[in-house]
Amino acid sequence: MSITMVNPNGLPEVDAYKQVSVATGSKLVFIAGQVAWDTDGVTVGEGDLAAQVEQCYLNVATALAGVGASFHDVAKLTVHVVDWAPEKMPQFLDGVSRAAAKLGITPVPPGTLLGAAALDVPEHLVEVEAIAVLD
């Protein structure tokens, strides 16, 4: 495996992700921000943050699989959430948990969660992009 996840001493442990990933592979994979579209381009979970987060993670997994990768190869996630506020964290984590259960994984790469004023269409509440490293 080309990714090692680490929580260095001196940094807090966070349940949702590890603080650092060390990549030793030779092929970088950049996944465009994935929104809550199904395969037909229809928005899943309109108005439901957890459902949209779940779909975004499933779409990232599909994109990764398309190039022979998986969440185990992800070195970094960036998540954009419309009108982010800390009280949305339980909904966000619910969506991640639902996707993880469907995929049989625990997605813990380092991540950045950013609030956004808007995304590509008004129905989209979240967008997730990923960087992966393959051997």
Side-chain angles (χ1 to χ4, degrees), residues 1-4 20-26 28 73-75 132-135:
M1 180 168 307
S2 59
I3 305 290
T4 303
V20 176
S21 66
V22 179
T24 59
S26 59
L28 295 176
D73 301 305
V74 174
V133 180
L134 302 175
D135 287 329

Side-chain angles (χ1 to χ4, degrees), residues 13-131:
E13 283 207 28
V14 180
D15 291 336
Y17 62 90
K18 300 292 186 196
Q19 294 284 6
V20 176
S21 66
V22 179
T24 59
S26 59
K27 182 191 242 183
L28 295 176
V29 179
F30 298 89
I31 305 295
Q34 297 297 304
V35 293
W37 277 330
D38 65 12
T39 57
D40 296 321
V42 175
T43 299
V44 172
E46 191 169 332
D48 183 342
L49 180 61
Q52 289 201 16
V53 168
E54 177 184 3
Q55 186 64 45
C56 289
Y57 273 70
L58 294 174
N59 289 349
V60 168
T62 299
L64 290 164
V67 295
S70 74
F71 261 98
H72 298 292
D73 301 305
V74 174
K76 174 84 168 57
L77 290 173
T78 303
V79 179
H80 304 268
V81 180
V82 174
D83 296 325
W84 176 255
E87 57 269 12
K88 292 184 178 182
M89 185 60 83
Q91 295 170 45
F92 176 78
L93 293 176
D94 180 40
V96 172
S97 294
R98 289 168 20 186
K102 283 186 177 177
L103 297 168
I105 57 150
T106 304
V108 294
T112 300
L113 193 153
L114 302 167
L119 294 173
D120 59 330
V121 297
E123 296 82 24
H124 291 157
L125 304 175
V126 63
E127 184 169 325
V128 180
E129 58 186 76
I131 299 172

